[in-house]
Amino acid sequence: MSGLSVTLDGTALEKWAEELSSRGFRSAIRRAVDQAATASRRIALDVISKDIGAPKARIKDAVSKVKRTTQTSLSASFAASKARINILSTGATVSRKFGMTGSTYRLTGGGSASLHVKDAFIVTANGGRFIAIRRSKDRLPIKGVFAETPSTALGQNGAAAQVAWQKAANAELNARLPRELQKQLFAEKLPYQAPADPGD
C-alpha cells in the first residue's frame, strides 16, 4: 500500500482554517488529497510500465484504484500487487545459441536491466507461452522467468516509480490544496485573501 507523504507550508493553512467552517476546511483538504493521489497514481502507472518494460495495459490491473479519503481519515492510498509479468511481454527473446535476452528494471537499473540467461527456453502450455529454466540437469522441474513485479517497481527504495510517484504527490497536493481551499471560501461566500508571503 502506498500512501501520500508530502510536505506543506502550514502557515497558509492556519489562516484558511480560521475563516472556513471546520467541515468546509476538511472537505477542501479531502478533495485535494484525492485529486493528488489520483494524479500521482497515473504517473506511477506510467513509470512502472516503463520500468518493467511491459505495456501499460498489462500493468493496469496490478495497480489498485485509489482508496480515497473519508470523514475520519485524510489519507489516500493505492497498492501495487506482486502480479507475475510474463517477460515475453517485455520483448524478451530466446534462441538456441544465446538463450534468453531481455530487459526489466529499465529505469531503475541494475543487473536485470540487461538480462542474458543462457539455458532458457520457451514453454507452450494451456494456450500460453512463457520462458523457463531447469532447476537441475533433469528435465523437470522447471522455473519460469518473469519480469519485475509492479509491487517491487513501486515499493523498492530508490526505484524509478517510487521516486516519480513521491515527487508527483508533493507537487500535485501543494498545487491543488490552495485551489480547493479557495473554492471552498467562495462556496461559503467568504472573501478570499492570499496568505501573506512568509518572506515579508
Side-chain angles (χ1 to χ4, degrees):
M1 190 69 71
S2 299
L4 281 171
S5 176
V6 297
T7 302
L8 288 168
D9 180 1
T11 56
L13 295 182
E14 291 174 8
K15 179 64 177 176
W16 279 313
E18 290 173 1
E19 297 185 8
L20 283 169
S21 66
S22 59
R23 184 180 180 87
F25 184 66
R26 191 173 186 84
S27 294
I29 293 174
R30 287 185 61 194
R31 289 195 302 270
V33 171
D34 288 340
Q35 291 167 8
T38 300
S40 59
R41 177 190 176 273
R42 285 196 297 268
I43 292 169
L45 189 60
D46 184 58
V47 179
I48 289 171
S49 171
K50 290 175 180 175
D51 197 38
I52 292 173
K56 193 184 296 185
R58 178 67 184 84
I59 308 299
K60 194 172 182 181
D61 290 341
V63 179
S64 72
K65 299 293 186 183
V66 171
K67 182 179 179 182
R68 297 178 177 275
T69 60
T70 67
Q71 288 291 341
T72 56
S73 173
L74 296 178
S75 173
S77 60
F78 58 91
S81 76
K82 295 181 179 180
R84 295 197 299 184
I85 307 298
N86 190 333
I87 202 162
L88 283 172
S89 69
T90 70
T93 60
V94 175
S95 69
R96 287 182 178 273
K97 184 176 181 180
F98 300 108
M100 188 198 86
T101 300
S103 176
T104 190
Y105 291 87
R106 294 181 180 182
L107 302 180
T108 298
S112 294
S114 181
L115 284 170
H116 298 281
V117 184
K118 182 179 178 182
D119 298 321
F121 54 93
I122 292 180
V123 177
T124 301
N126 301 321
R129 300 166 72 242
F130 65 94
I131 296 174
I133 56 173
R134 289 190 170 87
R135 291 180 177 271
S136 67
K137 293 182 179 180
D138 296 329
R139 185 171 178 271
L140 294 173
I142 62 174
K143 178 183 178 182
V145 180
F146 297 95
E148 177 187 16
T149 68
S151 61
T152 300
L154 185 63
Q156 181 177 308
N157 288 337
Q162 188 183 84
V163 171
W165 170 83
Q166 192 69 39
K167 182 178 179 181
N170 276 283
E172 290 288 341
L173 188 56
N174 276 282
R176 292 173 186 273
L177 184 55
R179 289 201 297 266
E180 290 304 321
L181 288 166
Q182 183 178 354
K183 287 179 184 178
Q184 191 64 37
L185 283 167
F186 287 143
E188 296 186 16
K189 297 181 171 55
L190 294 170
Y192 171 70
Q193 293 183 342
D197 188 334
D200 288 349

